[in-house]
Amino acid sequence: MNKFTYASVSTTDAAIAEMDEHDSPKFIAGGTNLLDLMKVNVENPDHLIDITQIAFNQIEATADGGLRLGALVTNADTAWNEEVEKRYPLLSKAILAGASPQLRNMATNGGNLMQRTRCYYFYDTATPCNKREPGSGCSAIGGYNRILAILGTSEHCIATHPSDMCVALVALGATINITGINGDRTIPITEFHRLPGDRPDLDNTLQAGDIVTSIDLPVQGFEKNYAYLKVRDRASYAFALVSVAAALTLEGNQIKEARLVLGGVAHKPWRSAEAEAALTHQEASVSTFEKAAAIALEGAKGYGDNTFKIELAKRAIVRALKQAAGLEEQA
Amino acid sequence: MSLLQKLGVSAENLAPEITGKYIGKPISRVDGRAKVTGNAKYAAEFNIGTGILYGYVISSPIAKGKITAVNARQALSQKGVLNVFTHENVPGLAWFDRSYQDQDAPPGGSPFRPLQSDEILFSQQPIALVIAETFELARYASTLVHFEYEVKEELNVGLELNLYKAKKPKKHRFPVPKPRGDAEKALAGSVVKIEEAYYHGYEHHNPMEMFASTVIYGDDDRLTIYDKTQGVLNSQSYVKSVFGLSEDEARVISPFMGGGFGAGLRPQYQLYMAVLASLELKRSVKVVLTRQQMFSFGHRPATLQKISLGASAEGKLQAVINRCYSETSTFEEYTENVVNWSGQMYQCDNVMLDHKLVPLDLFTPLDMRAPGGVTGMYALEVAIDELAVKAGIDPLEFRLLNYAEKDQNLDKPFSSKELRECYRQGAERFGWNKRNPEAGATLEGNNLVGWGVATGCWEANQMPSRAKAMLSADGKLTVSSATADIGTGTYTVMTQVAAETLGVAMEDVLFKLGDSVLPMSPLQGGSWTMATVGSAVKLVCDQLKAKLFKMAKKVENSPFGNSKEEDVVFADRCISLKEDAQQYLTFTEIMRKSKVNYIEEDTTSLPNMLEQNEYSRFTHSAVFVEVKVDQDLGTVHVSRVVNAVAAGRIINTKTSRSQVLGGIVWGISMALHEDTVMDDNFGRFMNTNLAEYHVPVNADINDIDVIFVEEHDDIVNPLGVKGLGEIGIVGVAAAISNAVYHATGKRVRDLPIQLDKLL
């Protein structure tokens, strides 16, 4: 870990001003990922700007009847928030599937969006990694890649985004509110994270100096027919090998609207519009779900150790959709 | 004459029935309060003296090659950085390999010598030690030291890739028995047979506490070393021989350990590093490893066992062949007892066992809880299950059908073996008789339910040990031995034995351990501490009793004038006549009247080898497991475990249960989770943290039931105990594997059984 200076700020203006004064500054909130990365010399900021005193700490209704989640509200407070539990149980469930109670008590919503891949090679400075050191090569391709991506990969990177929360946010169609040097703007969550392409060093579409201020959830919460299924190597405190957020609106046995998003399989939460289309206006049945699952995994590519994820994802999708449709109970 | 007789102690005198106030009771840990209140100090927590320096170890990013250049200028230019030790500036130390061979070193090897050569032998090899005034500064400065390397391309990692290099070890710590009968021929003639290979990869101990050494440099140039170790005397003798110090110049202290599991059986390199820096700089130095560096030394070796079994149509075992391959390093030959179990567990007249080593570019493997036992019993017990299935016989019945009444490896009877009773009580508690004989036939919701059984076995050894006891006139008893408490409860059980033997309250006993000035004791490992140190504690307290009684007889108006020791009772700090409890003297009275303030004994307890050698001495267990396997997703959940253990006398039912529970949890871990992943291109372990090196969390653990089966054994040691450190884990992985087969009909033959193997 390198030497760094530290400042605590209470306004976004002060945060942005601090940014300008240093070579490689970083914002820090819960620090649950950043500190780990600093300890292994993957992140080497010369200055930490503690933004936890900025007032992004509320969960409140939006003008259009949705819900705004402050960027600095902890994952735990979000998951256990009454409105979230009642109106967006999919989000609660996804958050609680992640990390451990201790981590969720520290980690913030903004930080969850910003967390970095857990690819082993990204963490180990002794190995080449295009995400950590552009142009050095990808050690995971041809290396040990059991936990890595099968969708939207590139020859430069097969990292996954590790979040559970973001998978649910994509299913819910959340919007990310941002403030920055050029003022405020919003990014739909589907455009927030990006695929690796030839710039795997970029996890998302934020620009230098941008701060995530809050996350807006639309009115529609899919609170009746939803499921978050996380498949992992132990019952808790493990990242998803595959996770599925499924959300449906049903009319009788007919699917009126469907959302289907995968976690643990790509550089971003993987939403399959084609699979959603294949579900819409269909009967909620296992055969419909199996078709959608096959469509969702079209184009998936295994890299050896992780090839099993293709089949696993299909089965997990069917299971999650069955749970969402009420064909079986959610664990 | 036995060694004990030579010492004037007869074994019979040491084996009275102990039934007691303390022995056999569920007694809480005497050090529990200190531990939960933070008063128990661990090696990195000692901060005696001022101006302690901090060392940070730099680990090699490459697995094989040479360091061609070191540039530490930038690091040394930082204010507060005192030194950067590398192979370029480390002074000449001991020349001979034997100086580096600790008590647990594989025989005849060349132990790794940190910072003494430019050669890189394994990934994460320590290549420098940065010394600075603060830990943070040392850690930062470590990023400023630049190395250049010449990388050797030809890298030998991956056990199965290198099987062609397999060779017999020059000296096996557990000699493999010679073949008996003709196994190949018997196999060919068997009606029922299986031939399969079983594998598990690298596993690391990962105790909670990181390895740490705090070296206090005294005004008299003597070192007081707080070390994380399972044997202070082992650390001391290592430091003495490597650095040419006398006993007085290096005292090693280790009162508590945050988990050992075998990792502390050898001195780890932070000890060498801290002592080196302390002697060179004449300052106190602390070196603590990082979690990543906890993966840079010994580990459970990756092991492949090719097993063939043959049986008659009736299910009588006719042939056992186990050809085993396990890894070692290029500089030492690490051996463990993997295959011998295959010739011992079941009655079979045709057995062929073989164990070869495959040298890899890794650090030497190291004993890890039930070393060899978990590995060998895993493979054997899965193979037996497969054979039972093929023979169409219930796997428990199959084991009973082939029950070994004597140890055919050694051609000796067992000193005791209540395994049959373990099977019976375990099966009853588990409800085994309700088992569906069909595999893959029980579905509950999405879960396939399966039941499995396996046998566990571990050695019941006793080693020589010394102990000292001092009884003061106020009735307080201090007993000491240089053993360790690696979390197993040594403080507590030794206190129990001492209090029970002498007839004082546990509160009046202080047991001291973990200090090299205390009487000699072996490493804490091998499940032998209770048998070894417990026997020494009992012996020294018995001697103290004799001395006290002799004094008591001499005091004026003694009620014991013509009595013998067997005529009196030692209880409640008094000696009283058995016949007439009103006739008594308190310990205090005896000493006051004899004009002494304290009495003391110091003794050596030796196993009665002559008698013990007539027998095969082992602990046994039967493990029953229920698993639930998601039929679509492959996730395995262990819903129930019953482990019935026959381990001789149980001194403390609470700490004993804890030992077995911990073992079972670890067995679940071995079966389903643990795997240190190697990148074969880099020869480097990749999941070197506790987020990615998986062990079970609470949510993975369900009902666990531990049964202690009554077992009497007067042979194993004077206390009749067999030790419990290891037995709890042995057999668990096999029972889970067998249950997974029973649930799914799929046989997974490599651990861990991760869900992708069941899709």
Side-chain angles (χ1 to χ4, degrees):
Chain A
M1 190 187 276
N2 58 310
K3 283 184 178 176
F4 59 88
T5 52
Y6 168 90
S8 177
V9 297
S10 53
T11 65
T12 48
D13 285 350
I16 293 165
E18 286 280 339
M19 265 291 183
D20 280 344
E21 286 168 24
H22 296 272
D23 293 335
S24 53
K26 276 265 172 197
F27 294 132
I28 184 165
T32 54
N33 189 204
L34 180 59
L35 286 179
D36 280 351
L37 291 166
M38 288 170 69
K39 284 185 196 166
V40 293
N41 301 311
V42 171
E43 296 278 10
N44 302 292
D46 66 343
H47 185 60
L48 286 186
I49 306 161
D50 183 339
I51 57 169
T52 51
Q53 299 311 307
I54 303 178
F56 301 149
N57 54 0
Q58 299 294 315
I59 294 181
E60 57 204 354
T62 57
D64 65 0
L67 201 63
R68 175 163 294 172
L69 312 173
L72 291 167
V73 180
T74 66
N75 286 178
D77 285 344
T78 306
W80 299 114
N81 176 277
E82 251 178 69
E83 283 291 295
V84 174
E85 281 189 287
K86 193 171 76 190
R87 296 177 55 192
Y88 307 97
L90 171 62
L91 180 60
S92 272
K93 193 152 197 286
I95 292 173
L96 295 176
S100 65
Q102 294 91 331
L103 285 165
R104 294 193 296 265
N105 285 339
M106 285 300 290
T108 63
N109 293 337
N112 194 301
L113 294 172
M114 299 300 294
Q115 68 178 307
R116 311 209 64 188
T117 185
R118 261 61 173 196
C119 175
Y120 301 159
Y121 299 93
F122 176 68
Y123 267 72
D124 186 349
T125 55
T127 62
C129 167
N130 286 325
K131 182 179 274 300
R132 180 167 29 78
E133 211 183 317
S136 62
C138 175
S139 305
I141 299 172
Y144 184 75
N145 49 45
R146 182 169 173 273
I147 64 170
L148 298 174
I150 51 169
L151 286 161
T153 54
S154 76
E155 59 180 308
H156 305 289
C157 182
I158 59 171
T160 56
H161 191 262
S163 171
D164 292 296
M165 177 178 166
C166 293
V167 180
L169 290 177
V170 172
L172 292 168
T175 310
I176 314 302
N177 298 314
I178 288 155
T179 190
I181 299 161
N182 303 318
D184 298 346
R185 68 183 201 284
T186 61
I187 309 178
I189 180 124
T190 45
E191 289 164 30
F192 184 86
H193 297 108
R194 56 186 296 287
L195 291 178
D198 56 4
R199 287 299 303 275
D201 52 317
L202 302 176
D203 293 350
N204 54 53
T205 52
L206 287 182
Q207 284 154 23
D210 279 351
I211 303 178
V212 175
T213 60
S214 60
I215 300 163
D216 284 354
L217 301 176
V219 179
Q220 160 77 295
F222 298 96
E223 72 282 2
K224 285 204 185 74
N225 292 98
Y226 71 92
Y228 189 76
L229 176 68
K230 182 172 181 179
V231 188
R232 49 184 152 178
D233 280 324
R234 60 181 166 190
S236 178
Y237 192 51
F239 292 99
L241 291 166
V242 168
S243 71
V244 184
L248 303 171
T249 15
L250 295 176
E251 219 173 65
N253 199 28
Q254 287 290 307
I255 300 168
K256 277 197 67 187
E257 193 183 358
R259 301 280 171 81
L260 187 65
V261 186
L262 300 177
V265 295
H267 201 257
K268 60 189 284 190
W270 187 264
R271 181 174 175 184
S272 174
E274 297 79 7
E276 290 175 1
L279 291 164
T280 312
H281 308 307
Q282 301 297 314
E283 189 193 1
S285 68
V286 171
S287 70
T288 305
F289 301 157
E290 282 173 349
K291 271 179 219 150
I295 291 168
L297 272 296
E298 263 172 24
K301 182 180 174 192
Y303 290 83
D305 302 317
N306 71 349
T307 305
F308 76 95
K309 282 191 178 189
I310 299 172
E311 177 61 24
L312 180 65
K314 288 180 192 170
R315 297 184 188 188
I317 288 170
V318 173
R319 174 73 60 84
L321 285 168
K322 278 162 77 177
Q323 291 175 349
L327 301 186
E328 70 175 59
E329 250 179 67
Q330 196 163 171
Chain B
M1 202 152 79
S2 80
L3 292 167
L4 280 172
Q5 283 163 337
K6 278 182 199 160
L7 287 168
V9 182
S10 104
E12 296 91 88
N13 290 343
L14 291 175
E17 270 311 304
I18 306 170
T19 48
K21 197 169 164 188
Y22 298 121
I23 303 274
K25 298 282 159 56
I27 288 170
S28 295
R29 286 164 195 262
V30 296
D31 51 338
R33 176 175 288 269
K35 279 187 171 170
V36 298
T37 54
N39 286 320
K41 277 198 177 186
Y42 296 81
E45 297 177 329
F46 288 91
N47 276 317
I48 298 159
T50 53
I52 201 160
L53 298 174
Y54 294 82
Y56 192 86
V57 176
I58 302 180
S59 306
S60 170
I62 70 163
K64 199 176 188 179
K66 256 187 168 53
I67 301 170
T68 54
V70 185
N71 183 346
R73 274 193 302 274
Q74 209 191 338
L76 289 166
S77 71
Q78 300 287 314
K79 190 172 173 295
V81 174
L82 275 85
N83 208 335
V84 177
F85 291 98
T86 67
H87 68 278
E88 291 187 343
N89 60 6
V90 161
L93 295 168
W95 283 16
F96 298 109
D97 282 335
R98 67 166 183 271
S99 303
Y100 296 81
Q101 281 163 355
D102 65 277
Q103 291 171 21
D104 195 37
S110 305
F112 171 65
R113 304 178 184 192
L115 312 185
Q116 289 195 30
S117 154
D118 58 357
E119 225 181 318
I120 305 287
L121 302 171
F122 55 94
S123 192
Q124 277 214 79
Q125 175 175 320
I127 51 174
L129 178 71
V130 181
I131 300 287
E133 283 168 2
T134 67
F135 169 74
E136 290 77 11
L137 184 58
R139 179 169 64 176
Y140 169 55
S142 76
T143 66
L144 305 175
V145 184
H146 301 290
F147 291 87
E148 282 169 39
Y149 307 93
E150 188 184 296
V151 177
K152 262 192 206 153
E153 297 297 341
E154 195 217 333
L155 187 60
N156 300 313
V157 291
L159 182 72
E160 284 168 281
L161 295 172
N162 289 283
L163 284 185
Y164 67 96
K165 292 201 178 81
K167 55 176 185 184
K168 271 210 185 320
K170 282 191 204 83
K171 184 160 192 246
H172 203 299
R173 290 192 297 171
F174 303 86
V176 176
K178 290 201 167 66
R180 60 176 184 257
D182 188 337
E184 294 285 4
K185 198 174 150 198
L187 182 70
S190 292
V191 183
V192 187
K193 55 185 137 185
I194 62 120
E195 298 194 61
E196 298 293 350
Y198 305 88
Y199 175 80
H200 71 65
Y202 320 98
E203 296 168 14
H204 282 78
H205 307 70
N206 272 308
M208 292 285 282
E209 181 198 11
M210 253 63 92
F211 273 91
S213 299
T214 302
V215 179
I216 306 297
Y217 195 90
D219 295 334
D220 50 3
D221 295 337
R222 292 177 178 187
L223 307 183
T224 306
I225 303 165
Y226 297 92
D227 186 35
K228 172 172 173 135
T229 176
Q230 289 175 239
V232 284
L233 296 174
N234 191 31
S235 292
Q236 184 192 40
S237 65
Y238 176 80
V239 164
K240 275 164 57 187
S241 61
V242 169
F243 295 97
L245 300 175
S246 71
E247 200 163 297
D248 296 337
E249 287 169 326
R251 176 181 175 185
V252 179
I253 299 175
S254 182
F256 294 102
M257 204 182 186
F261 314 129
L265 289 174
R266 300 191 69 178
Q268 296 304 355
Y269 58 77
Q270 90 291 340
L271 172 66
Y272 171 101
M273 297 278 201
V275 171
L276 168 78
S278 180
L279 290 172
E280 282 300 298
L281 303 172
K282 298 190 185 303
R283 295 278 298 272
S284 297
V285 175
K286 176 178 295 189
V287 180
V288 184
L289 300 188
T290 65
R291 180 56 68 186
Q292 283 76 17
Q293 288 165 346
M294 293 294 283
F295 291 82
S296 65
F297 44 79
H299 51 273
R300 197 189 292 290
T303 305
L304 178 74
Q305 294 170 79
K306 296 181 175 174
I307 296 188
S308 306
L309 301 178
S312 68
E314 298 75 38
K316 277 280 184 190
L317 201 56
Q318 290 174 328
V320 174
I321 298 171
N322 186 347
R323 292 188 177 88
C324 171
Y325 304 86
S326 63
E327 51 147 326
T328 190
S329 65
T330 54
F331 45 91
E332 286 173 309
E333 291 193 332
Y334 172 83
T335 50
E336 54 186 24
N337 177 7
V338 185
V339 296
N340 300 10
W341 315 97
S342 289
Q344 178 194 323
M345 292 312 300
Y346 299 99
Q347 162 70 36
C348 184
D349 296 333
N350 302 291
V351 175
M352 202 292 290
L353 309 173
D354 186 40
H355 187 185
K356 291 196 170 75
L357 297 181
V358 180
L360 300 178
D361 294 319
L362 297 174
F363 198 91
T364 311
L366 175 59
D367 294 331
M368 178 161 149
R369 204 168 192 176
V374 281
T375 302
M377 289 297 284
Y378 154 67
L380 175 67
E381 287 296 296
V382 176
I384 286 286
D385 196 75
E386 299 207 47
L387 193 63
V389 169
K390 266 210 169 162
I393 299 172
D394 175 272
L396 180 58
E397 202 185 312
F398 189 89
R399 285 170 169 83
L400 289 166
L401 203 58
N402 293 288
Y403 196 83
E405 298 291 352
K406 69 169 190 177
D407 182 341
Q408 285 182 288
N409 278 353
L410 304 172
D411 195 23
K412 287 175 187 174
F414 291 102
S415 61
S416 61
K417 182 182 175 182
E418 295 292 345
L419 175 59
R420 199 176 261 120
E421 195 56 19
C422 293
Y423 288 137
R424 195 189 67 74
Q425 291 187 26
E428 191 179 292
R429 184 78 59 90
F430 188 82
W432 184 261
N433 59 358
K434 296 188 210 79
R435 183 175 183 266
N436 183 344
E438 283 299 302
T442 310
L443 193 64
E444 270 179 20
N446 287 313
N447 288 323
L448 291 158
V449 182
W451 291 3
V453 63
T455 317
C457 193
W458 188 252
E459 303 154 351
N461 284 336
Q462 184 195 357
M463 311 293 277
S465 176
R466 280 178 59 203
K468 198 168 149 180
M470 190 199 75
L471 179 69
S472 58
D474 59 1
K476 302 278 182 197
L477 174 66
T478 305
V479 184
S480 58
S481 183
T483 182
D485 189 334
I486 62 175
T488 44
T490 313
Y491 279 113
T492 310
V493 289
M494 297 309 158
T495 302
Q496 284 175 261
V497 170
E500 189 83 50
T501 309
L502 203 61
V504 296
M506 276 186 70
E507 297 72 46
D508 291 328
V509 178
L510 176 68
F511 185 74
K512 295 205 266 186
L513 54 71
D515 188 336
S516 59
V517 301
L518 298 176
M520 183 285 293
S521 176
L523 284 162
Q524 179 168 39
S527 292
W528 64 47
T529 300
M530 190 70 244
T532 300
V533 184
S535 296
V537 167
K538 170 146 174 48
L539 180 62
V540 78
C541 288
D542 277 331
Q543 291 183 1
L544 210 54
K545 270 167 86 170
K547 194 173 202 170
L548 192 63
F549 184 61
K550 213 167 156 188
M551 281 170 67
K553 285 173 65 158
K554 285 187 188 155
V555 303
E556 220 176 16
N557 303 322
S558 171
F560 313 126
N562 298 318
S563 315
K564 292 184 173 160
E565 206 180 317
E566 51 267 34
D567 302 329
V568 299
V569 177
F570 286 70
D572 304 327
R573 280 199 249 165
C574 296
I575 306 178
S576 59
L577 276 176
K578 267 186 194 163
E579 301 289 312
D580 180 3
Q582 296 305 312
Q583 298 293 317
Y584 71 93
L585 284 174
T586 68
F587 292 176
T588 305
E589 280 175 308
I590 298 166
M591 282 196 257
R592 291 259 159 79
K593 290 182 178 171
S594 310
K595 298 194 167 45
V596 296
N597 290 324
Y598 65 91
I599 55 170
E600 204 172 28
E601 282 290 324
D602 183 337
T603 195
T604 303
S605 145
L606 297 169
N608 183 346
M609 297 304 288
L610 278 186
E611 186 176 42
Q612 290 182 3
N613 279 343
E614 298 293 310
Y615 297 90
S616 173
R617 291 157 288 121
F618 288 88
T619 311
H620 295 89
S621 69
V623 192
F624 297 82
V625 166
E626 176 185 87
V627 298
K628 295 187 174 171
V629 183
D630 190 299
Q631 60 175 345
D632 301 318
L633 307 176
T635 46
V636 179
H637 193 60
V638 177
S639 43
R640 240 164 18 105
V641 182
V642 174
N643 196 348
V645 180
R649 187 195 308 282
I650 303 302
I651 299 292
N652 183 333
T653 50
K654 189 173 187 180
T655 53
S656 294
R657 182 171 175 273
S658 297
Q659 278 300 297
V660 176
L661 279 182
I664 293 167
V665 171
W666 202 338
I668 294 171
S669 190
M670 181 187 188
L672 303 180
H673 303 293
E674 277 184 72
D675 190 18
T676 320
V677 176
M678 162 73 63
D679 180 296
D680 291 341
N681 302 320
F682 299 109
R684 192 166 170 87
F685 293 124
M686 295 312 300
N687 54 340
T688 55
N689 58 71
L690 292 182
E692 298 299 339
Y693 182 88
H694 288 167
V695 298
V697 296
N698 273 324
D700 292 299
I701 303 302
N702 260 275
D703 287 354
I704 300 179
D705 206 342
V706 178
I707 299 170
F708 289 113
V709 169
E710 201 172 320
E711 186 174 63
H712 296 281
D713 195 323
D714 297 330
I715 308 296
V716 277
N717 54 68
L719 287 168
V721 301
K722 284 185 169 179
L724 287 158
E726 258 99 357
I727 187 69
I729 185 177
V730 187
V732 178
I736 293 173
S737 299
N738 297 341
V740 167
Y741 167 78
H742 183 237
T744 63
K746 280 182 196 156
R747 188 66 75 171
V748 179
R749 299 186 184 89
D750 58 333
L751 300 180
I753 305 173
Q754 289 168 320
L755 59 93
D756 37 321
K757 295 175 187 170
L758 292 168
L759 286 182

